[in-house]
C-alpha cells in the first residue's frame, strides 16, 4: 500500500475571512494530474463495494455536449464522430455506473462538435474537496507544504465542488492528444478544501460554495468583452464571420460612422443609454457578412465603410438622427435601440439586391442617396412613419413590437415591405405579413447569398 501514497506540493494561502469553526488549515492551491483525478472520481469506486455516499454529493449529471466542447476548445480542433470518441474515452469510467442516480450512458451528442478559437486555451482552477488526507507544512518556506493521500485508504473521499465538466473535458482532450503524443501529461490548477464537511455528514459548506460560484456570482455582460476579441487577436486577420463582425463592430464603436462613442458597453458604462450594445450589434453584423462577401464587398475597410454609410442613411431616413456626442436620446426615439438597429441591419441583403437591380455601384454617392430613398420608402410602406419620422416609442409599443414575439413581428414587417412597391394595408394579418416576409427573404437570398 505504500506505493499508493501520493505527495502533492501545495500553497496554503492565508485567509483572514475564514470562519474560526472551519479550523486553521483547510484550503490549498496546487496542480492535480487530470488522469489521477479521474481515478479518484466519486463515480469510479475505490473499492468493489458501492458506497451510497458517492452519489449523495452536490455534483450534477454531466452535460456531455459541454464536456466535448471543452475538449475541442483545449485541442483547438473539431471533434468528429463525438459519440464514438466519448464512448472510447469514458466507457470504462462511466458505463459501469450507468444505473446509479444521476448517471447517463451512452451519451447523446452531435457527430461533430465545434470549438471556440483561442491563442491560449486554458481554464480556471477547479474546486475539490477531500477527506482522509494529511497535511505536512514546509518548515523552511511559510505557507507551503505537502498533502499526503492514499486513494485506497478507507477514509479517503474526494468530491468535485465545481469543475466536473472541465475535469472530464481535460481528460478527454488529453486522451485524444495521447494518440499522437503518448508521453503527454497534464496537471490542472485546483483549489483543494480539506475536511470542510465530514465524510458521513451532508456537504453543507460545499453546497454553499457551489451556490456562491454558480449562482451568486454574476456573469459579465457580453458587451463587456465583445470589444476585446479584436484586441486579443492582435495583428491576426479574422478567420470567420464572427471574427470579422467583431472587428467591424469595434470600428463602428470607436472610429467610423454615426455611432462612434454611442454604442454601449454596459459593464463599463460606455456609450449612450438606449443605444445598441456592442455584442448585440456584432451579432447583427455577423448575419449579413455572407451577403457582403457575395457582392464582392470583402475586405474589412470596405465592409466597415458600407455598414457605416448604411447606418447614416438609416438615421437620415428615419428623421430621428440625433446630434452626435449627446449623453442621452429623446425618450421617444427607438431607432438606435438594439432590437431596431439589428433588425434594420438584417435588411442589408435586400438593399444590396435593390442596388444591384438598378445597376448602382455599392460604394458611391449615388448609392448613398438611393439608400436613404429606399429606407424612407420602406418605413412608409411598413406603416412605420408618422409625420415624416419613424414612429415614437409609445407607437412602437402599441404596434406590438415590444414584449413577447415583438422583435420577430418587427423583422417580418420590415422584410414584407422590403421589395414591394405598395404600402401594407392597416388590416393585414400577422400571418400574411410573415408569408410576405418569407417570400422576400427567399427572393433576396437567391440574388445576394453565396450558393450553399
Amino acid at each position: 500500500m505504500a506505493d499508493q501514497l501520493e505527495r502533492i506540493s501545495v500553497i496554503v494561502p492565508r485567509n483572514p475571512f475564514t470562519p474560526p469553526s472551519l479550523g486553521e488549515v483547510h484550503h490549498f492551491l496546487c496542480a492535480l494530474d487530470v488522469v489521477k483525478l479521474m481515478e479518484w472520481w466519486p463515480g469510479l469506486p475505490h473499492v468493489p463495494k458501492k458506497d451510497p455516499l458517492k452519489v449523495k454529493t452536490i455534483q450534477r449529471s454531466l452535460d456531455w455536449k459541454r464536456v466535448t466542447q471543452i475538449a475541442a476548445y483545449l485541442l483547438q480542433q473539431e471533434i468528429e464522430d463525438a459519440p464514438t470518441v466519448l464512448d472510447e474515452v469514458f466507457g470504462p469510467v462511466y458505463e459501469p455506473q450507468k444505473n446509479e442516480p444521476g448517471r447517463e450512458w451512452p451519451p447523446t451528442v452531435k457527430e461533430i462538435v465545434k470549438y471556440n478559437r483561442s491563442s491560449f486555451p486554458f481554464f480556471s482552477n477547479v474546486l475539490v474537496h477531500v477527506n482522509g488526507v494529511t497535511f505536512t507544512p514546509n518548515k523552511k518556506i511559510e505557507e507551503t507544504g505537502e498533502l499526503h493521500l492514499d486513494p485506497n485508504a478507507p477514509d479517503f473521499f474526494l468530491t468535485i465542488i465545481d469543475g466536473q465538466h472541465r475535469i472530464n473535458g481535460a481528460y478527454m482532450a488529453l486522451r485524444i492528444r495521447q494518440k499522437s503524443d503518448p508521453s503527454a501529461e497534464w496537471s490542472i490548477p485546483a483549489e483543494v478544501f480539506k475536511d470542510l464537511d465530514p465524510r458521513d455528514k451532508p456537504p453543507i459548506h460545499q453546497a454553499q460554495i457551489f451556490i456562491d460560484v454558480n449562482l451568486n456570482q454574476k456573469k459579465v455582460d457580453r458587451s463587456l468583452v465583445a470589444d476585446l476579441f479584436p484586441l486579443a487577436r492582435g495583428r491576426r486577420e479574422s478567420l470567420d464571420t464572427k471574427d470579422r463582425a467583431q472587428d467591424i463592430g469595434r470600428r463602428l464603436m470607436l472610429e467610423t460612422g454615426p455611432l462612434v462613442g454611442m454604442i454601449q458597453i454596459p459593464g463599463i458604462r460606455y456609450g449612450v443609454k438606449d443605444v445598441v450594445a456592442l455584442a448585440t450589434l456584432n451579432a447583427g453584423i455577423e448575419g449579413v457578412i455572407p451577403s457582403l462577401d457575395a457582392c464582392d464587398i470583402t475586405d474589412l475597410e470596405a465592409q466597415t465603410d458600407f455598414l457605416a454609410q448604411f447606418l447614416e442613411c438609416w438615421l437620415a431616413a428615419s428623421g430621428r438622427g440625433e446630434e452626435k456626442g449627446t449623453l442621452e436620446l429623446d425618450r421617444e426615439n427607438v431607432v438606435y435601440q438594439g432590437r431596431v438597429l439589428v433588425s434594420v441591419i438584417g435588411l442589408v441583403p435586400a438593399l444590396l439586391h435593390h442596388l444591384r437591380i438598378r445597376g448602382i455601384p455599392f460604394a458611391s454617392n449615388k448609392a448613398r442617396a438611393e439608400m436613404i430613398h429606399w429606407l424612407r420608402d420602406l418605413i412608409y410602406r411598413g406603416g412605420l412613419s408618422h409625420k415624416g419620422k419613424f414612429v415614437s416609442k409609445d407607437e412602437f409599443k402599441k404596434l406590438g413590437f415590444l414584449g413577447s414575439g415583438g422583435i420577430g413581428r418587427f423583422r417580418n414587417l420590415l422584410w414584407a415591405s422590403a421589395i414591394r412597391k405598395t404600402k401594407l394595408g392597416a388590416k393585414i394579418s400577422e400571418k400574411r405579413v410573415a408569408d410576405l416576409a418569407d417570400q422576400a427573404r427567399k427572393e433576396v437570398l437567391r440574388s445576394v447569398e453565396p450558393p450553399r
Side-chain angles (χ1 to χ4, degrees):
M1 298 296 290
D3 61 342
Q4 296 294 321
L5 188 65
E6 297 282 345
R7 295 177 174 85
I8 301 169
S9 297
V10 298
I11 296 173
V12 190
R14 293 178 180 174
N15 185 349
F17 308 108
T18 301
S21 61
L22 294 181
E24 295 182 1
V25 178
H26 70 280
H27 183 207
F28 312 99
L29 303 178
C30 60
L32 297 177
D33 183 275
V34 69
V35 174
K36 290 180 179 177
L37 261 178
M38 290 298 295
E39 292 173 356
W40 304 334
W41 192 254
L44 187 63
H46 302 299
V47 292
K49 181 181 178 182
K50 290 186 178 182
D51 186 344
L53 286 174
K54 292 175 181 176
V55 295
K56 292 183 178 180
T57 69
I58 62 171
Q59 294 173 22
R60 301 299 183 256
S61 298
L62 285 164
D63 179 344
W64 293 104
K65 177 183 177 182
R66 187 176 167 200
V67 168
T68 313
Q69 285 174 333
I70 291 172
Y73 161 75
L74 291 170
L75 293 165
Q76 286 294 286
Q77 66 184 48
E78 289 184 352
I79 295 181
E80 300 179 354
D81 196 14
T84 300
V85 177
L86 276 170
D87 191 46
E88 177 184 324
V89 172
F90 292 109
V93 179
Y94 288 110
E95 190 166 17
Q97 286 78 41
K98 65 181 181 181
N99 294 321
E100 291 183 12
R103 301 300 183 200
E104 176 199 27
W105 205 264
T108 302
V109 295
K110 293 182 179 179
E111 289 293 319
I112 298 176
V113 176
K114 300 184 181 297
Y115 64 98
N116 292 320
R117 289 188 176 90
S118 175
S119 59
F120 187 65
F122 84 113
F123 52 67
S124 58
N125 55 273
V126 299
L127 306 184
V128 179
H129 182 258
V130 289
N131 298 115
V133 302
T134 58
F135 170 69
T136 302
N138 187 325
K139 296 180 180 179
K140 295 181 179 180
I141 305 176
E142 289 187 5
E143 299 182 41
T144 64
E146 282 189 343
L147 271 185
H148 299 167
L149 63 89
D150 179 358
N152 288 318
D155 58 344
F156 174 75
F157 189 55
L158 180 144
T159 57
I160 306 302
I161 299 174
D162 187 64
Q164 62 173 351
H165 289 94
R166 280 168 283 161
I167 293 170
N168 278 262
Y171 181 74
M172 182 178 184
L174 182 63
R175 288 307 192 202
I176 294 172
R177 177 58 54 82
Q178 286 176 337
K179 291 182 179 180
S180 58
D181 180 9
S183 63
E185 297 179 354
W186 195 26
S187 294
I188 59 177
E191 290 185 62
V192 178
F193 295 85
K194 173 181 176 290
D195 296 332
L196 277 176
D197 300 302
R199 175 175 176 170
D200 57 348
K201 301 292 183 182
I204 296 172
H205 293 103
Q206 297 171 65
Q208 185 61 58
I209 291 173
F210 184 90
I211 291 169
D212 290 346
V213 169
N214 292 286
L215 181 63
N216 293 341
Q217 292 187 12
K218 181 182 177 183
K219 186 177 180 180
V220 299
D221 187 282
R222 288 184 304 155
S223 293
L224 184 60
V225 298
D227 66 314
L228 299 180
F229 289 114
L231 186 64
R233 290 199 300 275
R235 296 178 180 271
R236 173 173 70 75
E237 289 293 321
S238 53
L239 297 178
D240 53 25
T241 56
K242 185 180 290 292
D243 276 5
R244 175 55 62 84
Q246 291 163 354
D247 291 338
I248 294 172
R250 184 178 174 87
R251 291 196 173 199
L252 292 175
M253 180 180 69
L254 298 174
E255 302 172 13
T256 306
L259 300 183
V260 169
M262 299 180 73
I263 296 168
Q264 287 195 83
I265 301 180
I268 57 175
R269 297 186 180 181
Y270 180 89
V272 177
K273 183 182 178 182
D274 292 328
V275 173
V276 65
L278 180 59
T280 304
L281 178 66
N282 288 351
I285 294 171
E286 184 180 349
V288 302
I289 287 176
S291 295
L292 293 171
D293 288 338
C295 292
D296 205 28
I297 306 172
T298 56
D299 65 79
L300 176 60
E301 296 290 343
Q303 290 179 344
T304 303
D305 289 344
F306 183 87
L307 289 174
Q309 179 173 269
F310 177 78
L311 290 169
E312 287 176 355
C313 294
W314 160 248
L315 295 175
S318 72
R320 288 190 176 272
E322 304 214 9
E323 184 180 350
K324 199 183 247 187
T326 182
L327 296 177
E328 59 182 26
L329 303 179
D330 178 346
R331 69 167 300 277
E332 288 297 315
N333 190 351
V334 296
V335 300
Y336 290 85
Q337 286 186 359
R339 67 172 56 235
V340 175
L341 266 186
V342 169
S343 299
V344 172
I345 289 172
L347 292 172
V348 163
L351 173 63
L352 293 168
H353 172 70
H354 175 82
L355 295 175
R356 174 178 279 176
I357 288 175
R358 280 157 180 73
I360 300 174
F362 299 131
S364 64
N365 289 331
K366 188 175 181 181
R368 186 183 188 282
E370 187 64 24
M371 282 186 196
I372 294 175
H373 176 73
W374 183 79
L375 285 164
R376 191 174 286 142
D377 280 358
L378 181 143
I379 292 170
Y380 170 76
R381 290 194 300 270
L384 297 168
S385 180
H386 182 69
K387 294 182 180 181
K389 292 185 176 183
F390 192 85
V391 294
S392 67
K393 183 177 181 179
D394 288 342
E395 292 170 306
F396 194 75
K397 184 176 182 179
K398 288 177 183 177
L399 289 169
F401 301 139
L402 294 178
S404 178
I407 190 169
R409 287 190 288 272
F410 180 62
R411 286 175 177 169
N412 282 340
L413 184 67
L414 292 178
W415 272 96
S417 308
I419 62 174
R420 64 188 289 116
K421 297 180 180 179
T422 58
K423 186 176 182 179
L424 293 172
K427 295 183 179 180
I428 189 169
S429 70
E430 189 175 313
K431 183 180 185 307
R432 178 59 178 159
V433 171
D435 290 341
L436 289 172
D438 189 50
Q439 293 171 19
R441 288 187 184 99
K442 289 178 180 177
E443 180 176 339
V444 166
L445 295 183
R446 279 196 297 268
S447 168
V448 301
E449 282 282 277
R452 297 181 184 239

